[in-house]
Amino acid sequence: MSSTDALASQSTGPRRSTMPREVARRRRGGGPPPGGGAGRGWHPMLGAGLLPRVLSVLALILMAGVWLLPLAWGVDTSFKSEVDASSGAGDWIPAAGFTLAAYREIFAQGNLPVWALNSLLIGVAVTVLTVVVSALAAYALSRGLFRGRRALLAVTVASIMVPPQILIVPLFRQMLAMNLVDTYAAVILPQVVAPVMVYILKKFFDAVPRELEEAARIDGAGSVRIFVSVVLPLSRPILAAVSIFVFITTWNNFLWPFIITSDPTLMTLPVGLSSVKDSYGLQNAQASAASVLAAIPLLVVFMLFQRQIVKSVATTGLGGQ
C-alpha cells in the first residue's frame, strides 16, 4: 500500500455499517425506533422476559374481572324473582331458580318500543348535527384566519370545564321561551353543542398536511370543496369515533330528557325505564332488567364499530404515535 492510500484510509476512518439503525437498535434491545413508534420486538410495558409478561397478563385479567363483576351481578339479578333479588343473600344461583318475570313485568307496564324508537331517533339526530356543526367549527378554528380566532378557541376550551348541570336552568328557560317544551327539538338542540368534540376535531385537522389543501386550491377548488373532498375523507377515523361517542352519550343521557319532557310518548329509554315502578316501590330485579335492556343497543353499536374506535385512537396519537 502506498503512502497516499494509507493516508486516505486514515482520513476516512473505518467504513460504516450498512445495517439500518432501526435493525441494529432492535438487536441491541436499545428501545423503540426513531419517531416514537414501538418496534415489533420492543415491549416497554411487559418487559423482555416471560415472567413480566405473565404477571402483566394476570394483572389485566384481575382488573377486567373487577370491572366485569358488577355487570355480571346485574345480569344475574335481572333473571331472579323479586323475593330472591331483595333477600340480600348474595347467591348467584337463586333458590327459586331463574325466571323472566322481571322482563315480562317491564314489557307489560312500559311502552318499550316507543321509548326505544325515541332514543334511536334522538341519538341519530344529535349525532349527525353534532358531527356537522363540530366539524365546521373545528375546521374554521384550524384553518381560518380571522380576528378573534384565539379568543374564540379559548372560550371553546374553557367551556369544556363548565359542568352541564349548571346550564340546565338557562336551557330550560330558553326552550320555554321558544315554546319547545315537550318536543323533539327541545331534546335534540341543546345536546348538539359539544365543545370537547370541536377541540378534538380541531387538533386532528391541525395534523392534516396543508400541502394537500394547497394542491387542491391550485387546481381551482374552493374552501368548501377542499373541506368536503380533501379534509373529510382523511378524517374518517376521527369522525367515526366522535359519532360513536356522541351517540353513546346521547343514548345514556337521562337528566335533560327527564326535565324537558313529560309526555310519555316523547320519553327516551332511560327516562321511560326509570318510570317503571311497582306499587311496592323500587324492585331490584326490574331495575336490573331495565339496565340490561338499556345497555344492549350500546353493546351492539360498540361491537359493530370497535375497529373504528381503535383506529381513531391510534390515528389521533392516543396510542403513542
Side-chain angles (χ1 to χ4, degrees), residues 276-290:
V276 177
K277 289 185 178 180
D278 193 79
S279 58
Y280 296 99
L282 180 63
Q283 304 293 303
N284 295 328
Q286 292 186 23
S288 299

Side-chain angles (χ1 to χ4, degrees), residues 127-142:
T127 301
V128 173
L129 292 177
T130 301
V131 170
V132 173
V133 173
S134 300
L136 291 173
Y139 187 71
L141 292 175
S142 176

Side-chain angles (χ1 to χ4, degrees), residues 233-257:
L234 297 175
S235 307
R236 289 177 182 175
I238 191 63
L239 292 177
V242 168
S243 301
I244 294 171
F245 294 150
V246 172
F247 181 81
I248 292 176
T249 303
T250 306
W251 184 279
N252 290 329
N253 192 1
F254 169 79
L255 186 58
W256 177 248

